[in-house]
Amino acid sequence: QVTLVESGGGSVQAGGSLRLSCAVAGLPYSSACMAWFRQPPGKEREGVATFDGEGVTTYADSVKGRFTISKDRNKNTLDLQMDNLKLEDTAIYHCAAAAVWSCAVIRARGASGFSFWGQGTQVTVSS
């Protein structure tokens, strides 16, 4: 059974930082396509960043240069370091996984390409 459990969300002022972590179990995540998605209030879910088995990372334009996705193989976690947070980063952040080596294989499918999801963690950025 695959489980993804997010942690690290919270409230922060604009310009601040947060680090999210997703604990992965039941999946050889080092060879899987892993991702962070987010759903802002009243909006559709959107992709934030991906990290696949080839070590390729991708970022949404809105977070490039501010967010960093990484894998901690010792802890079996997928992490998201978020710096210089903006009001528009407020959202529920979800960790997701797909049992494919390369995220490029499922990129065109968006969120529907991911089979496994965490319950989400709230990030609130205030002025």
Side-chain angles (χ1 to χ4, degrees):
Q1 181 181 359
V2 177
T3 60
L4 306 175
V5 180
E6 302 96 337
S7 61
S11 297
V12 65
Q13 288 191 319
S17 298
L18 282 174
R19 187 176 183 87
L20 305 183
S21 187
C22 173
V24 182
L27 179 76
Y29 90 119
S30 61
S31 59
C33 171
M34 302 290 301
W36 284 98
F37 284 80
R38 68 185 182 186
Q39 187 162 16
K43 296 185 178 180
E44 298 288 320
R45 185 174 296 186
E46 61 186 23
V48 175
T50 65
F51 194 138
D52 69 14
E54 297 182 334
V56 176
T57 59
T58 65
Y59 295 91
D61 288 342
S62 58
V63 306
K64 280 181 181 176
R66 301 188 298 119
F67 289 13
T68 304
I69 190 171
S70 62
K71 290 182 178 179
D72 186 330
R73 288 175 173 78
N74 291 326
K75 297 180 180 179
N76 253 35
T77 61
L78 178 75
D79 301 326
L80 186 68
Q81 177 65 39
M82 306 185 294
D83 298 319
N84 190 21
L85 282 159
K86 302 178 179 181
L87 297 179
E88 54 264 39
D89 294 320
T90 294
I92 298 174
Y93 284 72
H94 294 269
C95 174
V100 294
W101 177 258
S102 171
C103 292
V105 174
I106 59 172
R107 183 160 297 126
R109 297 175 59 187
S112 65
F114 292 84
S115 302
F116 309 105
W117 291 84
Q119 81 289 349
T121 186
Q122 176 71 47
V123 171
T124 303
V125 184
S126 60
S127 59

